[in-house]
Amino acid sequence: EDKVVQSPLSLVVHEGDTVTLNCSYEVTNFRSLLWYKQEKKAPTFLFMLTSSGIEKKSGRLSSILDKKELFSILNITATQTGDSAIYLCAVLNYGGSQGNLIFGKGTKLSVKP
Amino acid sequence: GAGVSQTPSNKVTEKGKYVELRCDPISGHTALYWYRQSLGQGPEFLIYFQGTGAADDSGLPNDRFFAVRPEGSVSTLKIQRTERGDSAVYLCASSYGLAGPQGDTQYFGPGTRLTVL
């Protein structure tokens, strides 16, 4: 059965800390891995990763994919209270033309002032 | 441009009633997806449209759930004889649907929180 596992499930840090969120997957027809930030209801797109070893970076956030070991990490440096959210990892299951996203349960990040 | 919009934002109904949830995708996106998210869980796939047709409806839990996209843009998710277990946030997403990586990114709407009493 296809699955995506995120760890930790929750994390509490203080402003200025650096955090690493983990995502491992077992998906039969892997096409790409996506990270989303969910603050209220709508997941907001962060990164899409398709190739191993190529870091994607946006401000204080960065992510990398390892297709051999089947995992990805999302790093956030110098965390701010506005980073508090649920971070979702999803793998695009490619069957036919386009596929559906298989999500992990998310990591709930709380950044305290 | 405008993002994915969903209406209503909240819907409270009684067990056994019929509900319709609407999704308006990003203009130009040919692929549209419905997901359901229960508390403490990641979104779970329900159905995917490419244009007007349902390309994959394998995630629909049973025949009480049905979705349409008659003109290839707006989609409606319909739930008959609602049950308390249907309570969740229903998320809609859209993408370009191109045969390439740039079509892979799905952009989500704010969701509809459905509560069945």
Side-chain angles (χ1 to χ4, degrees):
Chain A
E1 182 184 345
D2 294 337
K3 63 180 179 181
V4 175
V5 178
Q6 292 186 245
S7 63
L9 291 181
S10 66
L11 187 57
V12 180
V13 300
H14 288 93
E15 271 192 318
D17 289 349
T18 293
V19 297
T20 298
L21 310 183
N22 303 290
C23 175
S24 63
Y25 62 90
E26 292 178 28
V27 175
T28 308
N29 296 305
F30 176 91
R31 179 174 166 95
S32 54
L33 185 145
L34 293 87
W35 284 96
Y36 289 87
K37 178 182 182 182
Q38 187 173 33
E39 293 178 86
K40 291 186 178 177
K41 286 195 287 188
T44 305
F45 171 72
L46 294 175
F47 298 112
M48 184 181 72
L49 304 156
T50 55
S51 301
S52 277
I54 300 174
E55 185 183 55
K56 291 279 184 88
K57 195 170 172 65
S58 176
R60 296 177 294 101
L61 278 66
S62 63
S63 184
I64 198 160
L65 173 67
D66 185 328
K67 291 170 73 173
K68 181 180 177 185
E69 299 297 329
L70 308 183
F71 78 90
S72 174
I73 59 172
L74 174 68
N75 280 319
I76 309 175
T77 59
T79 51
Q80 303 172 355
T81 54
D83 296 327
S84 296
I86 295 172
Y87 290 84
L88 294 166
C89 173
V91 172
L92 188 68
N93 185 32
Y94 187 73
S97 55
Q98 282 246 304
N100 55 287
L101 288 172
I102 302 169
F103 282 87
K105 290 187 177 183
T107 293
K108 183 176 181 180
L109 175 65
S110 299
V111 182
K112 295 193 176 300
Chain B
V4 178
S5 62
Q6 292 186 245
T7 55
S9 56
N10 286 284
K11 176 71 177 178
V12 180
T13 191
E14 294 179 342
K15 181 174 178 292
K17 299 288 188 183
Y18 167 82
V19 296
E20 289 189 351
L21 312 179
R22 175 189 166 109
C23 172
D24 202 338
I26 292 171
S27 178
H29 281 190
T30 60
L32 184 147
Y33 307 80
W34 284 98
Y35 293 84
R36 178 168 72 172
Q37 187 174 23
S38 301
L39 194 63
Q41 303 294 319
E44 293 180 318
F45 170 74
L46 294 177
I47 186 169
Y48 143 58
F49 288 90
Q50 181 60 48
T52 60
D56 183 355
D57 64 357
S58 62
L60 294 178
N62 51 60
D63 62 6
R64 296 186 297 105
F65 289 75
F66 188 70
V68 296
R69 195 186 184 199
E71 297 178 358
S73 180
V74 171
S75 176
T76 304
L77 178 65
K78 308 180 181 193
I79 310 174
Q80 298 177 320
R81 304 183 304 281
T82 52
E83 299 177 356
R84 291 194 180 88
D86 299 334
S87 296
V89 175
Y90 289 80
L91 293 165
C92 175
S94 69
S95 74
Y96 278 110
L98 299 172
Q102 62 265 43
D104 288 0
T105 302
Q106 297 179 22
Y107 297 91
F108 283 81
T112 294
R113 184 179 300 280
L114 175 65
T115 303
V116 182
L117 301 176

